[in-house]
Amino acid sequence: MSNLDLQQYNVRTDLALEAKEIAEQSGGGSPIPGIVSKTFEDNGITITELEVQNEQGSQAIGKVLGNYLTLEVPELRNQDTELQDRVATHFAKHFESFLQRVGVGKTARVLIVGLGNWNVTPDALGPLVVENVMVTRQFFELMPDQVAPGYRAVSAVAPGVLGITGIESSEIVHGIVEKTKPDVVIAIDALASRSLERVNTTIQIADIGIHPGSGIGNKRKGLTKEILGIPVIAIGVPTVVYASTIVNSAIDLMRGHMAANKADNNQVFGLMNQMDERERLQLVKEVLHPIGHDLLVTPKEIDQFIEDIANIIASGLNAALHDAVDTDNVAAYTH
Amino acid sequence: MSNLDLQQYNVRTDLALEAKEIAEQSGGGSPIPGIVSKTFEDNGITITELEVQNEQGSQAIGKVLGNYLTLEVPELRNQDTELQDRVATHFAKHFESFLQRVGVGKTARVLIVGLGNWNVTPDALGPLVVENVMVTRQFFELMPDQVAPGYRAVSAVAPGVLGITGIESSEIVHGIVEKTKPDVVIAIDALASRSLERVNTTIQIADIGIHPGSGIGNKRKGLTKEILGIPVIAIGVPTVVYASTIVNSAIDLMRGHMAANKADNNQVFGLMNQMDERERLQLVKEVLHPIGHDLLVTPKEIDQFIEDIANIIASGLNAALHDAVDTDNVAAYTH
Amino acid sequence: MSNLDLQQYNVRTDLALEAKEIAEQSGGGSPIPGIVSKTFEDNGITITELEVQNEQGSQAIGKVLGNYLTLEVPELRNQDTELQDRVATHFAKHFESFLQRVGVGKTARVLIVGLGNWNVTPDALGPLVVENVMVTRQFFELMPDQVAPGYRAVSAVAPGVLGITGIESSEIVHGIVEKTKPDVVIAIDALASRSLERVNTTIQIADIGIHPGSGIGNKRKGLTKEILGIPVIAIGVPTVVYASTIVNSAIDLMRGHMAANKADNNQVFGLMNQMDERERLQLVKEVLHPIGHDLLVTPKEIDQFIEDIANIIASGLNAALHDAVDTDNVAAYTH
Amino acid sequence: MSNLDLQQYNVRTDLALEAKEIAEQSGGGSPIPGIVSKTFEDNGITITELEVQNEQGSQAIGKVLGNYLTLEVPELRNQDTELQDRVATHFAKHFESFLQRVGVGKTARVLIVGLGNWNVTPDALGPLVVENVMVTRQFFELMPDQVAPGYRAVSAVAPGVLGITGIESSEIVHGIVEKTKPDVVIAIDALASRSLERVNTTIQIADIGIHPGSGIGNKRKGLTKEILGIPVIAIGVPTVVYASTIVNSAIDLMRGHMAANKADNNQVFGLMNQMDERERLQLVKEVLHPIGHDLLVTPKEIDQFIEDIANIIASGLNAALHDAVDTDNVAAYTH
């Protein structure tokens, strides 16, 4: 199963959660074999644990086998610092238990990789997390006897993008992994989602690594256990949406809205109502693309949003990775 | 006629060109009394001169009386530096003749005002132009005898936005105008357009000043001849679009596309086909707004686009304002 | 007494404290008539209150009549966030009582002016404070009934420098003052000091306004009560030193060091020992200037230092200006 | 021979040229065995070729065996764009012949390494060059048949500093070299010099690689042919000086100045005149260090200087590395 199949669907979401929703809609709402998911809510934060258990589930939603954890916080764009701290704390707790679940121990040495282009604001999430995260590996290398208990060796790099370095980011990371021998890679990347609502309000954690074609930057090579020889945990936040996806989702929302109002959607939407997701998206793209309408877009306030969410992830990682960093006050350890 | 009326239409474009298109569509394509416009094309650059001649025209398109000049360059987002230089040269020539037409002479002292928020990339156009434009007023003040011929006195300020300064930008500019006595203000502002296609590809010049509610930053007070006592030329570039507008325009484009393919749009689009622009937009907004979908959005590559277009405008202004700066090589005078 | 006289001395410090030290040294250590000063120390922070009481004192130290308060924190460059918070709290308390002493009341409306050039790191202090300070004037203007008690109307602008705007910063501020009618201006500026030791470790508060030639940017016009019609409180931090001053001070320090070691300085330093401050500085400048050695220099780590100290001042101002902001936790209100 | 010996001398310059000058002064001006150098001047640009031929020369000046080429351009800080273009062209020509001389062929694949910390302006030279240089390796990898003649494969990385990544930059580079197999590394680094005059006016090229302790960032591991297995060309620009070095050099300059004026320096400077360089520097450091005066300092205008010189080097590299880039118009190929 690969991203190619997903691209056939033309749905263009990097979130497993959305891919499952789409598959369920197409299937009339019935559960998808091979996909197990569980959702719980905590004071404005919705957490979903989703497992792609077998090849059938993978085919159905176009995502590789593995564990996906999603935090959805619709209010996260409101610049509420109290909420941000709470999300960082939640992130830390869930990330910590996610690490345990997928077998990454308390002392495993971590390399944090910030993927993306620091010159393109919606793609700068990874590099921004790297700038803000606490690195400790140098102390373990230079004076191992003097490191206080409760810390582990953490290093962090932002490998840049092909157009700036001339080198695939996966090659750079692979070289660094071979030299520095971490036990696990945590890769942060900006994603595309299907829905504007989820942009900068959702964080996905997955144990599947980074696959070619995912994220904003159209990678040609991945960062996976197969390639690097060590587990790769991926953290992603959708920061962009295709204009065509916005249109398509909106038509869907309008159909739902009218149906809820007892309208006859065949009457209201005509044949549009009978097209399936793919056909309609195909039509939208045919119309938008040739005249430059089908751009990847991002909210106007992206500068602030991306900084806020990078701080949340950096704070959360600090607390999750070091027992000595208190999950109750994670923000104090970042810039 | 005020922006309030425009907001009733809910069409949310700051471009006179688009407002006229919308009014024409609603009116079945017949010409609008009180609006005179002329379009010509030059090697990939479309120039439209539009005049709102009377109150009737103003009411019809929701724009104040005055002269509007628009440069449309669909290929401008392709980072083609040769094209950028050509657009700067065109801008300079048209801006120069525009100044003459509206009565601003060769030696009129100019204050360039860069409106907008430098911390919000799609709103940073004005401040970026101010950073890149050539200022000369200090030489006229400090050593008037030594200024080479072919220059005029130009000053430039970026007054910031209400949320950062606590002061309306129009008050700041008014104070500076009273102290420094320029003959004309040129105000640069980022705009909202109706169409993604025009974002970062279109430049509007108008002799109407800046009106409350226009631009990205939701001004409460304007910059007009009535307020400042001197003419105000506005230069605007659309850098954002409402998600709802994208959806609405896309449905329109789809109807055009199907009609061109001889489809029966009543059959394809049902009742949607019979809604007018306003009704349909109202429906789209009802659906998108409550769940956070109706954001102002901007292309992913906004950082690069905004820098390119700010350089074009700064280069063009340098050439248009100073005879000593050659319109054939405008780019050399900016950073 | 003007800055011109100070420039005759060629001592080039913007700190009253240093000017007094120099005058005392020249005078053999005896107290200077017309200068009253008081110093106290609090856990690593030295506070000096200095008053220039009359023309004689003013002539002697080359500073205008008025009150000067200086906070010296030698350890401030060590990036110790706990110390930074403590300095912000001290700054807030002393600034508050300074305001009272010079007659600025609890509800006086404040305009904060960040002088300097945001493109030149050691000159960017003022603009950085403006970016980080809390502005509230807009709430008093737009919804005066709804402002919570404990706040006053504060606005903030960074007027830029002559080379970027073509307008003296004092003219811009004057225009804004006339339009917005604040009761007092607080102007923040980066200064030159005589000693590297004080760079980025010292904050001076003075009720004398900003005078031509002071600060890094070589202003030609001042910001004073005479010009603006309202009191002007100046906050300054030395961020640069002349290379020649470093050399001259070092020779002085060496003489002190040798004398403390019972050396015969006439023997060690020859005629150099008998030159007075001005003669020796003249010699140093003659030697350094022609070959480009006499630059204004700043510590390598200036980016971090300037950000830290701008945060301290912004936090301190928030606490000093608004009773509702707690002086015990000032940092929480800045970015 | 290592940098440790140089540090014994406490002279702290990364320029071979200065190290030779110091050694010559100590030796009374006689030539140093094992050091061959040749200087020529071209319209404001002084070029020095210096070779450390054997161990004796290396010991004498504290620099490793190899070839050093230095461009000195005293006027380079004057923001004269015509001069900057000329320096870029000179740099390109000399760099190209330097490559040939040390055996790097026309088609050798190049990895450009920008050392230093992008958050510390005077240390950001390397990362800035990397941002501005043309990378082409991706075209050779992805579509080798379509690359136009006159180009070679160039990649570029800025590995960051230990405090940000937790990894020695040399380890990161080593990993990337092993994965991407370039034929030569070109490493750009900001240096410390002995003289303010040379800061941001001098460019050193050397075939010796990067050695521990050199540059601003106090590396613990080097980038050399021994470590990486391929030749390493180092490009360095002094951007900082120790305050103590400024003082010491100034005293030296004063002695020269007085001697030129027929003064008896024993009388003027006393015992100071008889101290040798090291003793006097030791005294200066004893005096300055304890009170925080002995900082590394940089000119106030460092932001502009570093940008200018990074552009010169990036332009020069583009022209030197690709025959298709014209050395007569090197600036057009950088941002």
Side-chain angles (χ1 to χ4, degrees):
Chain A
M1 181 63 200
S2 83
N3 286 65
L4 286 174
D5 299 302
L6 179 62
Q7 281 168 14
Q8 269 189 309
Y9 286 105
N10 277 317
V11 178
R12 293 183 285 193
T13 176
D14 292 312
L15 294 176
L17 194 67
E18 288 190 338
K20 171 176 161 279
E21 283 173 8
I22 296 166
E24 282 176 348
Q25 279 176 339
S26 307
S30 58
I32 301 163
I35 305 293
V36 177
S37 81
K38 191 172 65 177
T39 296
F40 41 102
E41 206 271 344
D42 181 351
N43 196 7
I45 305 173
T46 303
I47 295 114
T48 304
E49 291 175 3
L50 186 153
E51 188 181 354
V52 180
Q53 295 184 311
N54 56 34
E55 198 52 40
Q56 192 183 1
S58 173
Q59 294 262 359
I61 73 166
K63 294 287 163 198
V64 298
L65 269 73
N67 294 283
Y68 300 80
L69 179 85
T70 315
L71 285 82
E72 294 172 275
V73 195
E75 305 296 318
L76 198 50
R77 291 194 294 234
N78 298 347
Q79 294 190 240
D80 169 350
T81 53
E82 189 274 326
L83 176 62
Q84 288 168 14
D85 285 353
R86 214 149 48 76
V87 175
T89 304
H90 260 81
F91 174 84
K93 284 182 197 150
H94 288 290
F95 191 77
E96 206 173 336
S97 59
F98 190 90
L99 285 185
Q100 282 163 20
R101 194 142 44 91
V102 301
V104 175
K106 283 264 175 207
T107 57
R109 289 160 303 164
V110 171
L111 170 62
I112 296 173
V113 173
L115 297 167
N117 187 342
W118 42 78
N119 295 324
V120 173
T121 306
D123 197 22
L125 177 72
L128 275 172
V129 171
V130 163
E131 282 283 312
N132 284 305
V133 94
M134 214 166 79
V135 297
T136 52
R137 178 180 173 276
Q138 70 272 38
F139 305 118
F140 285 85
E141 294 289 309
L142 300 174
M143 34 183 168
D145 303 340
Q146 294 169 45
V147 181
Y151 292 95
R152 71 166 90 204
V154 173
S155 53
V157 294
V161 293
L162 189 63
I164 285 181
T165 62
I167 310 174
E168 296 282 351
S169 52
S170 76
E171 285 184 284
I172 292 180
V173 174
H174 201 174
I176 296 170
V177 164
E178 290 187 350
K179 275 288 155 227
T180 65
K181 308 281 182 210
D183 299 310
V184 61
V185 161
I186 298 174
I188 296 111
D189 200 8
L191 307 177
S193 83
R194 181 202 178 206
S195 140
L196 253 185
E197 187 186 17
R198 286 211 178 84
V199 164
N200 297 307
T201 64
T202 300
I203 306 173
Q204 174 177 278
I205 303 163
D207 61 357
I208 60 158
I210 302 285
H211 290 261
S214 69
I216 294 185
N218 283 320
K219 291 139 206 87
R220 255 159 297 263
K221 291 185 183 174
L223 286 180
T224 60
K225 188 169 185 177
E226 289 69 48
I227 293 172
L228 300 182
I230 51 173
V232 181
I233 312 294
I235 300 175
V237 174
T239 65
V240 294
V241 192
Y242 276 97
S244 54
T245 320
I246 294 177
V247 173
N248 200 30
S249 310
I251 292 173
D252 237 30
L253 287 165
M254 284 158 72
R255 287 168 60 219
H257 180 79
M258 297 313 270
N261 291 317
K262 317 263 184 232
D264 173 351
N265 270 344
N266 280 335
Q267 199 183 338
V268 179
F269 292 96
L271 289 176
M272 294 267 290
N273 194 45
Q274 291 153 43
M275 295 184 191
D276 75 4
E277 175 97 16
R278 271 169 285 177
E279 282 177 295
R280 205 177 53 229
L281 181 58
Q282 197 50 46
L283 172 61
V284 174
K285 288 168 68 182
E286 262 177 56
V287 167
L288 295 183
H289 191 73
I291 54 169
H293 278 68
D294 196 15
L295 301 173
L296 272 168
V297 298
T298 192
K300 180 186 68 134
E301 301 85 353
I302 184 64
D303 303 82
Q304 186 64 51
F305 290 164
I306 208 104
E307 206 180 285
D308 288 348
I309 216 155
N311 274 322
I312 288 170
I313 293 175
S315 303
L317 284 176
N318 290 345
L321 296 177
H322 307 288
D323 282 351
V325 178
D326 191 348
T327 52
D328 291 340
N329 183 16
V330 295
Y333 294 81
T334 42
H335 305 247
Chain B
M1 182 61 199
S2 83
N3 286 64
L4 287 174
D5 300 302
L6 179 61
Q7 280 167 15
Q8 269 189 310
Y9 285 106
N10 277 318
V11 178
R12 294 182 285 193
T13 176
D14 292 311
L15 295 176
L17 194 67
E18 288 190 337
K20 171 176 161 280
E21 284 173 6
I22 296 165
E24 281 176 349
Q25 280 176 337
S26 306
S30 57
I32 301 163
I35 305 293
V36 178
S37 82
K38 193 171 66 177
T39 297
F40 39 102
E41 205 271 345
D42 182 351
N43 195 8
I45 305 174
T46 303
I47 295 113
T48 304
E49 292 175 2
L50 184 154
E51 189 181 354
V52 180
Q53 295 185 311
N54 56 33
E55 199 52 39
Q56 193 183 1
S58 173
Q59 295 263 358
I61 73 166
K63 293 287 162 199
V64 298
L65 269 72
N67 293 283
Y68 299 79
L69 179 85
T70 314
L71 284 83
E72 293 171 276
V73 194
E75 305 296 319
L76 199 48
R77 292 193 293 234
N78 298 346
Q79 295 188 241
D80 169 350
T81 53
E82 189 274 326
L83 177 62
Q84 288 168 12
D85 286 353
R86 213 149 49 74
V87 174
T89 304
H90 260 81
F91 175 84
K93 283 183 196 150
H94 288 290
F95 191 77
E96 206 174 338
S97 59
F98 190 88
L99 286 185
Q100 283 164 19
R101 192 141 45 91
V102 302
V104 175
K106 285 263 176 208
T107 58
R109 289 160 304 166
V110 171
L111 171 62
I112 295 172
V113 172
L115 296 168
N117 186 344
W118 43 79
N119 295 324
V120 173
T121 305
D123 198 21
L125 177 72
L128 274 173
V129 171
V130 164
E131 282 283 313
N132 284 307
V133 94
M134 213 167 78
V135 297
T136 52
R137 177 181 174 275
Q138 70 272 38
F139 306 119
F140 285 85
E141 294 289 309
L142 299 174
M143 35 181 167
D145 304 340
Q146 294 168 45
V147 181
Y151 293 95
R152 71 166 91 204
V154 173
S155 53
V157 293
V161 293
L162 188 63
I164 285 181
T165 63
I167 310 174
E168 296 281 351
S169 52
S170 76
E171 286 184 283
I172 291 179
V173 174
H174 202 174
I176 296 169
V177 164
E178 289 187 351
K179 275 290 154 223
T180 65
K181 308 280 183 210
D183 299 310
V184 60
V185 162
I186 298 173
I188 296 110
D189 200 9
L191 306 178
S193 83
R194 182 201 178 207
S195 140
L196 252 185
E197 185 187 17
R198 287 212 177 84
V199 164
N200 298 307
T201 64
T202 300
I203 306 174
Q204 175 177 276
I205 304 163
D207 61 357
I208 60 158
I210 301 287
H211 291 261
S214 69
I216 293 185
N218 284 319
K219 291 140 205 86
R220 256 158 296 262
K221 291 185 184 176
L223 285 180
T224 60
K225 188 170 187 177
E226 290 70 48
I227 293 172
L228 300 182
I230 52 173
V232 181
I233 313 294
I235 299 175
V237 173
T239 65
V240 293
V241 192
Y242 275 97
S244 54
T245 322
I246 294 177
V247 174
N248 200 29
S249 311
I251 294 173
D252 238 32
L253 287 166
M254 284 157 73
R255 286 167 61 218
H257 180 78
M258 296 314 270
N261 290 317
K262 316 267 184 231
D264 173 352
N265 270 345
N266 280 335
Q267 198 183 339
V268 178
F269 291 95
L271 290 176
M272 295 268 290
N273 195 45
Q274 290 153 43
M275 295 183 191
D276 76 4
E277 175 99 16
R278 270 168 287 177
E279 283 177 293
R280 207 178 52 228
L281 182 56
Q282 197 49 46
L283 172 61
V284 174
K285 288 168 67 182
E286 262 176 57
V287 166
L288 295 183
H289 191 73
I291 54 169
H293 279 70
D294 197 13
L295 301 173
L296 273 168
V297 298
T298 192
K300 179 187 72 135
E301 302 84 353
I302 184 65
D303 304 83
Q304 186 64 51
F305 290 164
I306 208 102
E307 206 178 286
D308 289 347
I309 216 155
N311 274 323
I312 288 170
I313 293 176
S315 303
L317 284 176
N318 289 346
L321 296 177
H322 307 288
D323 282 351
V325 177
D326 191 348
T327 51
D328 291 341
N329 183 15
V330 296
Y333 294 81
T334 42
H335 305 249
Chain C
M1 183 61 200
S2 81
N3 286 64
L4 286 174
D5 299 302
L6 179 62
Q7 282 168 12
Q8 269 188 311
Y9 285 105
N10 278 317
V11 178
R12 295 184 284 194
T13 176
D14 293 310
L15 294 176
L17 194 68
E18 288 190 337
K20 170 176 161 280
E21 283 173 5
I22 296 165
E24 281 175 349
Q25 280 175 338
S26 306
S30 57
I32 301 162
I35 305 294
V36 177
S37 81
K38 194 172 64 177
T39 296
F40 39 103
E41 206 272 344
D42 182 351
N43 196 7
I45 305 174
T46 303
I47 295 114
T48 304
E49 292 176 3
L50 184 154
E51 188 181 355
V52 180
Q53 295 186 311
N54 56 34
E55 199 52 39
Q56 193 183 0
S58 173
Q59 295 263 356
I61 72 165
K63 295 286 163 198
V64 299
L65 270 72
N67 294 283
Y68 300 80
L69 178 85
T70 314
L71 284 82
E72 294 171 276
V73 194
E75 305 296 318
L76 199 48
R77 291 193 293 234
N78 298 346
Q79 295 189 239
D80 169 349
T81 53
E82 188 274 327
L83 176 62
Q84 288 168 13
D85 286 353
R86 213 150 49 74
V87 174
T89 304
H90 261 81
F91 174 85
K93 283 182 195 152
H94 288 289
F95 191 77
E96 205 174 338
S97 59
F98 190 89
L99 286 184
Q100 282 164 20
R101 192 142 46 89
V102 302
V104 174
K106 285 261 176 208
T107 58
R109 289 160 304 166
V110 171
L111 171 62
I112 295 172
V113 173
L115 297 168
N117 186 343
W118 43 78
N119 295 325
V120 173
T121 307
D123 199 21
L125 177 72
L128 275 172
V129 171
V130 163
E131 282 283 312
N132 283 305
V133 94
M134 214 168 78
V135 297
T136 52
R137 178 182 174 275
Q138 70 272 37
F139 305 117
F140 285 85
E141 294 289 309
L142 300 174
M143 34 182 166
D145 304 340
Q146 294 169 45
V147 181
Y151 292 95
R152 70 168 90 204
V154 173
S155 53
V157 293
V161 294
L162 189 62
I164 285 181
T165 63
I167 310 174
E168 296 281 351
S169 52
S170 77
E171 286 184 284
I172 290 179
V173 174
H174 202 174
I176 296 169
V177 164
E178 289 186 351
K179 275 290 153 227
T180 64
K181 308 281 183 208
D183 299 311
V184 60
V185 162
I186 297 174
I188 295 109
D189 200 7
L191 307 177
S193 82
R194 182 203 177 205
S195 142
L196 252 185
E197 187 187 15
R198 287 211 178 84
V199 164
N200 298 309
T201 65
T202 300
I203 305 173
Q204 175 177 276
I205 304 163
D207 62 356
I208 60 159
I210 301 287
H211 291 261
S214 69
I216 293 185
N218 285 318
K219 290 139 205 88
R220 257 159 295 263
K221 291 183 184 175
L223 285 180
T224 60
K225 188 170 185 175
E226 290 69 47
I227 293 172
L228 300 182
I230 52 172
V232 180
I233 313 294
I235 299 175
V237 173
T239 64
V240 294
V241 192
Y242 275 98
S244 54
T245 320
I246 294 177
V247 174
N248 200 30
S249 312
I251 293 174
D252 238 31
L253 288 165
M254 284 157 73
R255 287 167 61 218
H257 180 80
M258 297 312 269
N261 291 316
K262 315 268 184 229
D264 173 353
N265 270 344
N266 280 335
Q267 200 183 336
V268 179
F269 291 96
L271 290 175
M272 295 268 290
N273 194 46
Q274 291 153 42
M275 294 182 192
D276 75 5
E277 174 99 15
R278 270 168 286 177
E279 282 177 294
R280 206 178 52 228
L281 182 56
Q282 197 50 47
L283 172 61
V284 174
K285 287 168 67 182
E286 263 177 56
V287 166
L288 294 184
H289 191 73
I291 55 169
H293 279 69
D294 197 13
L295 301 172
L296 273 168
V297 298
T298 192
K300 179 188 70 137
E301 302 84 353
I302 184 66
D303 304 82
Q304 185 64 51
F305 290 165
I306 209 102
E307 205 179 287
D308 288 347
I309 216 155
N311 275 322
I312 288 170
I313 293 176
S315 303
L317 284 176
N318 290 345
L321 295 177
H322 307 288
D323 282 351
V325 178
D326 191 348
T327 52
D328 291 341
N329 183 16
V330 295
Y333 294 82
T334 42
H335 305 247
Chain D
M1 181 60 200
S2 83
N3 286 63
L4 286 174
D5 299 302
L6 179 62
Q7 281 168 13
Q8 269 188 310
Y9 286 105
N10 278 316
V11 178
R12 294 184 285 193
T13 177
D14 292 311
L15 294 176
L17 195 66
E18 289 190 338
K20 170 175 162 281
E21 283 173 6
I22 296 165
E24 282 174 349
Q25 280 176 338
S26 306
S30 57
I32 300 164
I35 305 293
V36 178
S37 81
K38 193 172 67 177
T39 296
F40 40 102
E41 206 272 345
D42 183 351
N43 196 8
I45 305 174
T46 303
I47 295 112
T48 304
E49 292 175 2
L50 185 153
E51 189 181 354
V52 180
Q53 296 185 310
N54 55 34
E55 199 52 38
Q56 192 184 3
S58 172
Q59 296 263 356
I61 72 166
K63 294 285 163 200
V64 298
L65 269 72
N67 294 283
Y68 300 80
L69 178 84
T70 315
L71 285 82
E72 293 172 275
V73 195
E75 305 298 317
L76 198 49
R77 291 194 294 234
N78 298 347
Q79 295 188 241
D80 169 349
T81 53
E82 188 273 326
L83 176 62
Q84 288 168 13
D85 285 354
R86 212 150 49 75
V87 174
T89 304
H90 260 81
F91 174 84
K93 282 181 196 151
H94 288 290
F95 191 77
E96 205 174 336
S97 59
F98 190 89
L99 286 185
Q100 282 164 19
R101 192 143 44 90
V102 301
V104 175
K106 285 265 175 206
T107 57
R109 290 159 303 165
V110 171
L111 170 62
I112 296 173
V113 173
L115 297 168
N117 187 342
W118 43 79
N119 295 324
V120 173
T121 306
D123 198 21
L125 177 71
L128 275 172
V129 171
V130 164
E131 283 283 311
N132 283 305
V133 94
M134 214 167 80
V135 296
T136 52
R137 178 181 174 276
Q138 70 271 40
F139 305 118
F140 285 84
E141 294 289 309
L142 300 173
M143 35 182 165
D145 303 342
Q146 294 168 45
V147 181
Y151 292 95
R152 70 167 91 203
V154 173
S155 53
V157 294
V161 293
L162 188 63
I164 286 181
T165 62
I167 310 174
E168 296 282 350
S169 52
S170 76
E171 286 183 282
I172 291 180
V173 174
H174 201 174
I176 296 169
V177 164
E178 291 187 349
K179 274 289 155 226
T180 65
K181 309 280 181 210
D183 298 311
V184 61
V185 162
I186 298 174
I188 296 110
D189 199 8
L191 307 177
S193 82
R194 181 203 178 205
S195 142
L196 253 184
E197 187 187 17
R198 287 211 178 85
V199 165
N200 298 307
T201 64
T202 300
I203 305 172
Q204 175 177 276
I205 303 162
D207 61 356
I208 60 159
I210 302 286
H211 291 261
S214 68
I216 293 185
N218 285 319
K219 290 140 205 86
R220 254 159 297 263
K221 290 185 185 174
L223 285 180
T224 61
K225 188 168 185 177
E226 288 70 47
I227 293 172
L228 300 182
I230 52 173
V232 181
I233 313 294
I235 300 175
V237 174
T239 65
V240 294
V241 192
Y242 275 98
S244 54
T245 320
I246 294 176
V247 174
N248 199 30
S249 312
I251 292 173
D252 237 32
L253 287 165
M254 284 157 73
R255 287 166 61 216
H257 180 78
M258 298 312 270
N261 291 317
K262 317 266 184 232
D264 173 352
N265 271 345
N266 281 334
Q267 199 184 336
V268 178
F269 292 95
L271 290 175
M272 295 267 291
N273 194 46
Q274 290 153 42
M275 295 183 191
D276 76 4
E277 175 98 16
R278 271 168 285 177
E279 282 177 294
R280 207 177 52 228
L281 182 57
Q282 196 50 44
L283 172 61
V284 174
K285 287 169 66 182
E286 262 177 56
V287 166
L288 294 183
H289 190 73
I291 54 170
H293 279 68
D294 197 15
L295 301 172
L296 273 168
V297 298
T298 191
K300 179 187 70 137
E301 302 84 353
I302 184 65
D303 304 83
Q304 185 65 52
F305 290 164
I306 209 103
E307 206 179 287
D308 289 347
I309 216 154
N311 275 322
I312 288 169
I313 293 176
S315 303
L317 284 177
N318 290 346
L321 295 178
H322 306 288
D323 283 351
V325 178
D326 191 347
T327 52
D328 291 340
N329 183 17
V330 294
Y333 293 81
T334 42
H335 306 248

